[in-house]
Amino acid sequence: MNIFGTAGMVFLIVLNIIFVILGLGLIIAGGMLREKSDTVNDKVLPLLNEIGIGPGFTMGDLLEAIAILVIIIGIIAFTLSTIGGFGACCKNRVLLIIYGIGVVLIGAAEIFVLKAWTDLKKELNETIKSTLLKLLKDYEGNTEDILTIAWNFVFLLFDCCGVNAQSSVDDFSTTTWASTTRGTDVIPGWCCKEAKIDTASSLYGTNCTITPTSSNSHYETGCYTAIEKILTTYSTTFISICTLILLVEILAVISAIVMVIQISNDVNSNRHKEGIVLHSINKTSPNV
């Protein structure tokens, strides 16, 4: 095997060790996403499940799908990298060919997912704000209503208040809360910076809710902006990582092809040498 074949072998071995570790990490991360706090899931999912992003598909379904997808990608990465690692170490053409085909298929799937994610993000940006405003109308302030509890946990977890920034518009003026128990409160206690799960309900009627400022509340940050910012951040990170992985996968396929060619050349060279040796032996052997 010449220097190119050796370099390809070393590159594949190192690369696949990294991807085996990455695959295990993704499997663990996906499991943690699915098993995250039951309290948060139970409280926030009723709201997310009301935000439709396609026929029979909601944002809650999207989060679940992402967690499952992460686990699947982890399993595929671990399996494929194991095959590629053994193929490179053992100089096995069959394993390397399987590895190369698998990487090409994964690359094609990544391109499809990137396109689908771009389209989905565009649809979310166009529909999510109007949907959130409609859902906020049923907000009751501090009751045991499932949707109200979901909103309160969104305010708490995303450090936001209302749908738009409440410093410039009053989204709560058309809510059930406004016509029942709102009183002099401008924002709910769950929008206060000092709010905790066990204390937020006691902050109604305080300085924070009656005269909110940027220092004592999140009234300058609407939840649409907070969610859109998170989606943008994840989108940018996701696209960057996938692009980097695609470039590495191209190098991996090239390295696998180089190794297969070199292994084939070595096999043919050895057979040729064996043929020459046998021919020489037959020529020098006396006839019986």
Side-chain angles (χ1 to χ4, degrees), residues 135-209:
L135 292 171
L136 188 63
K137 291 183 181 296
D138 294 325
Y139 180 72
E140 298 179 359
N142 194 36
T143 68
E144 295 300 317
D145 173 67
I146 294 178
L147 198 57
T148 296
I149 292 174
W151 269 115
N152 285 334
F153 271 79
V154 168
F155 299 155
L156 185 68
L157 295 173
F158 291 98
D159 294 335
C160 60
C161 193
V163 177
N164 301 287
Q166 297 310 290
S167 55
S168 58
V169 65
D170 184 6
D171 288 337
F172 296 105
S173 62
T174 58
T175 63
T176 302
W177 179 47
S179 60
T180 53
T181 61
R182 183 178 186 179
T184 57
D185 285 328
V186 175
I187 60 173
W190 295 81
C191 294
C192 296
K193 287 188 175 180
E194 64 177 297
K196 305 293 181 184
I197 293 178
D198 56 346
T199 63
S201 60
S202 64
L203 295 175
Y204 286 80
T206 62
N207 184 58
C208 165
T209 60

Side-chain angles (χ1 to χ4, degrees), residues 222-248:
C223 290
Y224 168 74
T225 302
I227 294 174
E228 199 261 346
K229 183 178 180 180
I230 291 172
L231 286 174
T232 300
T233 301
Y234 274 92
S235 177
T236 302
T237 303
F238 179 70
I239 291 173
S240 300
I241 291 175
C242 282
T243 301
L244 177 61
I245 291 175
L246 279 172
L247 293 175
V248 174

Side-chain angles (χ1 to χ4, degrees), residues 2-284:
N2 62 24
I3 187 172
F4 294 106
T6 303
M9 179 181 69
V10 173
F11 176 78
L12 280 178
I13 292 173
V14 174
L15 175 67
N16 285 296
I17 289 175
I18 294 173
F19 271 88
V20 163
I21 297 172
L22 177 62
L24 287 173
L26 287 173
I27 293 171
I28 295 171
M32 291 176 66
L33 281 175
R34 293 203 69 194
E35 298 299 327
K36 60 186 177 179
S37 174
D38 290 336
T39 300
V40 173
N41 277 336
D42 290 343
K43 305 302 183 185
V44 176
L45 279 181
L47 176 63
L48 298 180
N49 286 334
E50 293 295 326
I51 304 175
I53 55 177
F57 198 70
T58 68
M59 185 169 282
D61 296 328
L62 175 62
L63 295 180
E64 178 71 10
I66 289 174
I68 295 174
L69 182 61
V70 169
I71 295 174
I72 292 175
I73 291 175
I75 293 173
I76 293 175
F78 178 82
T79 304
L80 200 58
S81 297
T82 302
I83 292 174
F86 275 113
C89 290
C90 303
K91 299 179 182 180
N92 188 299
R93 283 179 295 179
V94 175
L95 290 180
L96 288 171
I97 291 172
I98 293 174
Y99 172 75
I101 293 173
V103 171
V104 170
L105 293 176
I106 291 297
E110 286 177 357
I111 294 174
F112 174 79
V113 170
L114 281 173
K115 177 64 168 57
W117 174 257
T118 302
D119 294 341
L120 176 61
K121 184 176 178 295
K122 181 180 179 181
E123 181 181 346
L124 284 174
N125 288 341
E126 293 175 350
T127 63
I128 193 171
K129 189 171 187 177
S130 59
T131 303
L132 287 173
L133 285 170
K134 290 178 182 178
L135 292 171
L136 188 63
K137 291 183 181 296
D138 294 325
Y139 180 72
E140 298 179 359
N142 194 36
T143 68
E144 295 300 317
D145 173 67
I146 294 178
L147 198 57
T148 296
I149 292 174
W151 269 115
N152 285 334
F153 271 79
V154 168
F155 299 155
L156 185 68
L157 295 173
F158 291 98
D159 294 335
C160 60
C161 193
V163 177
N164 301 287
Q166 297 310 290
S167 55
S168 58
V169 65
D170 184 6
D171 288 337
F172 296 105
S173 62
T174 58
T175 63
T176 302
W177 179 47
S179 60
T180 53
T181 61
R182 183 178 186 179
T184 57
D185 285 328
V186 175
I187 60 173
W190 295 81
C191 294
C192 296
K193 287 188 175 180
E194 64 177 297
K196 305 293 181 184
I197 293 178
D198 56 346
T199 63
S201 60
S202 64
L203 295 175
Y204 286 80
T206 62
N207 184 58
C208 165
T209 60
I210 297 174
T211 56
T213 65
S214 58
S215 61
N216 64 14
S217 71
H218 303 293
Y219 90 127
E220 289 187 345
T221 304
C223 290
Y224 168 74
T225 302
I227 294 174
E228 199 261 346
K229 183 178 180 180
I230 291 172
L231 286 174
T232 300
T233 301
Y234 274 92
S235 177
T236 302
T237 303
F238 179 70
I239 291 173
S240 300
I241 291 175
C242 282
T243 301
L244 177 61
I245 291 175
L246 279 172
L247 293 175
V248 174
E249 285 173 342
I250 291 173
L251 293 176
V253 170
I254 293 174
S255 299
I257 292 173
V258 169
M259 275 202 70
V260 169
I261 293 173
Q262 289 299 311
I263 292 171
S264 298
N265 289 339
D266 289 346
V267 170
N268 292 333
S269 177
N270 290 334
R271 287 176 178 173
H272 181 67
K273 290 177 180 178
E274 290 174 359
I276 293 175
V277 171
L278 290 174
H279 181 69
S280 300
I281 293 174
N282 289 333
K283 286 182 66 177
T284 56

